[in-house]
């Protein structure tokens, strides 16, 4: 049994799973803070996006660690609760990456935002379309307007000779 030197009472009675979750959360916090700190050296607005991602990673790491500390011990949990959903999500990610260049970032992202919830069992198409449109709008504002970063060209612009 591993005993954490800084907090022996907490770690001595914890299950291995809780220890792993706390350690993983701490790693995410450290990586997120390191990424955010590294982004401060970027010139101009180029560091805003990686800084926000680093801070979000740190926040989610804190959430994982805090949840593990508060969890009741003694109950085992499966490694994966929904392996089919995991495989579906991984395949959707692979298709997304494969479609970004031929279709364009916004089209591939919108298709992912529509297809993945449907593949995972969410059947409220109007909500899915609204969330997808809002997401694409936010991505457009952040990348194309605020950061002025080029994304892969949309297929319909090339097909119809626009711009």
């Amino acid at each position: 049994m591993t005993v954490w030197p800084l907090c022996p009472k907490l770690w001595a009675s914890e299950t291995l799973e809780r220890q792993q979750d706390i350690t993983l959360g701490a790693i995410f916090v450290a990586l997120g803070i390191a990424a955010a700190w590294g982004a401060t050296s970027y010139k101009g607005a180029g560091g805003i996006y990686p800084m926000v991602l680093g801070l979000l990673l740190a926040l989610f790491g804190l959430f994982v660690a805090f949840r593990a500390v508060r969890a009741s011990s003694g109950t085992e949990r499966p490694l994966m609760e929904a392996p089919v959903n995991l495989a579906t999500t991984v395949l959707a990610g692979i298709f997304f990456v494969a479609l970004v260049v031929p279709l364009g970032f916004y089209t591939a992202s919108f298709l992912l935002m529509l297809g993945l919830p449907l593949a995972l069992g969410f059947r409220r198409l109007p909500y899915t379309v609204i969330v997808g449109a809002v997401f694409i709008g936010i991505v457009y504002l952040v990348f194309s307007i605020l950061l002025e970063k080029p994304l892969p060209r949309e297929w319909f612009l090339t097909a119809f000779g626009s711009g």
Side-chain angles (χ1 to χ4, degrees):
M1 182 177 300
T2 304
V3 176
W4 186 255
L6 299 177
C7 204
K9 288 183 181 178
L10 173 69
W11 285 83
S13 63
E14 300 300 326
T15 65
L16 180 61
E17 292 170 348
R18 289 180 70 188
Q19 290 177 14
Q20 290 171 346
D21 286 349
I22 293 168
T23 303
L24 183 63
I27 290 170
F28 284 159
V29 168
L31 286 174
I33 290 172
W37 182 264
T40 60
S41 66
Y42 295 174
K43 294 180 182 177
I48 293 173
Y49 185 67
M51 182 183 298
V52 168
L53 288 179
L55 292 174
L56 285 174
L57 181 63
L59 183 68
F60 287 128
L62 276 174
F63 174 74
V64 167
F66 183 71
R67 187 172 155 197
V69 168
R70 291 187 45 119
S72 61
S73 62
T75 58
E76 290 189 25
R77 54 176 199 218
L79 180 61
M80 279 187 276
E81 292 181 8
V84 173
N85 288 351
L86 175 66
T88 301
T89 304
V90 169
L91 285 173
I94 291 169
F95 282 120
F96 169 73
V97 170
L99 292 176
V100 165
V101 173
L103 295 182
F105 181 81
Y106 298 112
T107 303
S109 296
F110 190 68
L111 289 175
L112 178 70
M113 294 296 292
L114 290 180
L116 186 58
L118 291 173
L120 295 176
F122 189 74
R123 298 289 179 242
R124 295 183 178 178
L125 190 59
Y127 294 117
T128 305
V129 171
I130 290 169
V131 168
V134 168
F135 172 77
I136 296 301
I138 291 170
V139 169
Y140 178 77
L141 285 173
V142 169
F143 285 99
S144 297
I145 305 229
L146 292 175
L147 298 177
E148 297 178 357
K149 298 292 179 190
L151 294 172
R153 186 172 169 84
E154 295 301 304
W155 67 272
F156 57 83
L157 294 177
T158 306
F160 297 116
S162 176

